[in-house]
Amino acid sequence: MAQVVPDLVSLQNPVFRSYLFYCSILVIKMMGMAILTSVQRYKNKAFVNPEDVKSLKIKPKTDENVERVRRAHLNDLENIPIFFVSAFLYMMTSPTEYMAKTLFFAFTVARIVHSIVYAVVIIPQPARGLSFGIGFLITGYMALTTLLHVL
Amino acid sequence: MAQVVPDLVSLQNPVFRSYLFYCSILVIKMMGMAILTSVQRYKNKAFVNPEDVKSLKIKPKTDENVERVRRAHLNDLENIPIFFVSAFLYMMTSPTEYMAKTLFFAFTVARIVHSIVYAVVIIPQPARGLSFGIGFLITGYMALTTLLHVL
Amino acid sequence: MAQVVPDLVSLQNPVFRSYLFYCSILVIKMMGMAILTSVQRYKNKAFVNPEDVKSLKIKPKTDENVERVRRAHLNDLENIPIFFVSAFLYMMTSPTEYMAKTLFFAFTVARIVHSIVYAVVIIPQPARGLSFGIGFLITGYMALTTLLHVL
């Protein structure tokens, strides 16, 4: 309660360093989805804007391989930005180093697995459901912990 | 201008505590949309990926009840992450405790009402427009205040 | 390494002030996409929810002009929130003032140009691709720099 944050928001705080580390990885991972979308668009010649297909002399169209990557990307948008916030809030509650690092690590691995089984090597359920669920529970746990801490 | 932030980013700062509190609630609220989507998918047997319907022996399909929840969720993605940022920026300008808490509270209530009237108990307009508008104005007010403060 | 953050997260730090400035502009820019969507919806009488068209006595429909703005908005959601995070992480690595300000400025200009050429005055490629690419590279550079800094 009497915690002053300077000790928390500092590169000398191992939890904060860990936050920077995993957030960087997750940002790069999300950027990977945009690259993957482009790759699938070119591979399947599936573009959605008329100005994108002018020089290719084809019509705009949608393609299931593109849509799949886009769904995976949207799922990232639904889950990773709230992790960035939830993890930041949680960090302010002075969690133990071990606990915080484990949660950050597990979330990052779960989301990378999620993208792979959704959009790269499609693996039957419950692979995708499980990896989604692990990330989801971690975000929820951190938000709830923060809520109870500041009440 | 001569404000040093340690006083701001601290659990001893009531505005920062309030930020942690409302952000936690909003994260959990957004997670509720994912749960609601799942509920509607099972209720209407509307899944979009072939691997999700394999064991159910049905075809992928879309359903208006699912799409409605997804639109509400997307509206959250368009509005709540920018609130997280806008409120954080605004907090750095040392607003009064009363003003900051009121804005955070009003935004949170507005977004919860928005989700309810959009995707749980559908209420005719202008219920949804109003709740959207209140949240929108608050985010804009905070961003503009920050902009003018640091100019 | 021995950097304590209070000097960083402070209005007296010009990089932090610059972060507040450009993030505010980007929040307002993203809000502009919601306004533009509304304008196109009214202009083309294209609404998606039955309750939105009740008083207008028309049917819900989609319209290419509306969808185009929505794609531009979604592209913002895919790119700008990760910039908010990536730039925050990067700031914690104590970059030079000149470098940080240049990156923040270039990203902001690139995203404003992206929205204009995508959804206001449609300009043939590679205008949109280039403005997207500049923002994308900046976000990636900042995330990678942070990653290497905390390794």
Side-chain angles (χ1 to χ4, degrees), chain B residues 90-132:
Chain B
Y90 176 65
M91 201 161 55
M92 296 300 135
T93 69
S94 311
T96 65
E97 182 181 339
Y98 175 76
M99 189 67 181
K101 282 186 172 178
T102 304
L103 292 174
F104 297 171
F105 169 76
F107 181 89
T108 305
V109 171
R111 292 308 307 184
I112 293 172
V113 169
H114 181 272
S115 297
I116 293 173
V117 303
Y118 202 164
V120 184
V121 186
I122 303 159
I123 291 176
Q125 290 284 24
R128 199 182 88 230
L130 271 181
S131 56
F132 167 83

Side-chain angles (χ1 to χ4, degrees), chain C residues 32-149:
Chain C
M33 301 314 286
I35 294 171
L36 208 54
T37 303
S38 280
V39 168
Q40 290 290 354
R41 284 203 187 287
Y42 278 95
K43 214 167 113 183
N44 298 287
K45 299 195 194 313
F47 300 89
V48 74
N49 296 295
E51 70 267 30
D52 300 348
V53 292
K54 223 174 190 174
S55 62
L56 298 170
K57 284 167 190 162
I58 51 171
K59 294 216 163 162
K61 64 164 183 174
T62 56
D63 177 275
E64 174 55 20
N65 294 302
V66 175
E67 294 310 307
R68 177 175 283 273
V69 177
R70 295 188 64 226
R71 287 198 295 274
H73 198 171
L74 184 59
N75 195 277
D76 273 2
L77 295 183
E78 290 171 359
N79 289 284
I80 298 181
I82 57 174
F83 168 83
F84 290 144
V85 172
S86 193
F88 181 79
L89 306 176
Y90 175 66
M91 201 162 54
M92 296 299 135
T93 68
S94 310
T96 64
E97 183 181 337
Y98 175 76
M99 188 67 181
K101 282 186 173 178
T102 304
L103 293 173
F104 297 172
F105 169 76
F107 181 89
T108 305
V109 171
R111 291 308 306 184
I112 292 172
V113 169
H114 181 271
S115 296
I116 293 172
V117 302
Y118 203 163
V120 184
V121 186
I122 304 158
I123 290 177
Q125 289 284 24
R128 200 183 86 229
L130 272 181
S131 57
F132 167 83
I134 290 168
F136 196 74
L137 287 178
I138 290 171
T139 302
Y141 170 78
M142 295 191 304
L144 209 60
T145 302
T146 307
L147 196 59
L148 297 175
H149 191 88

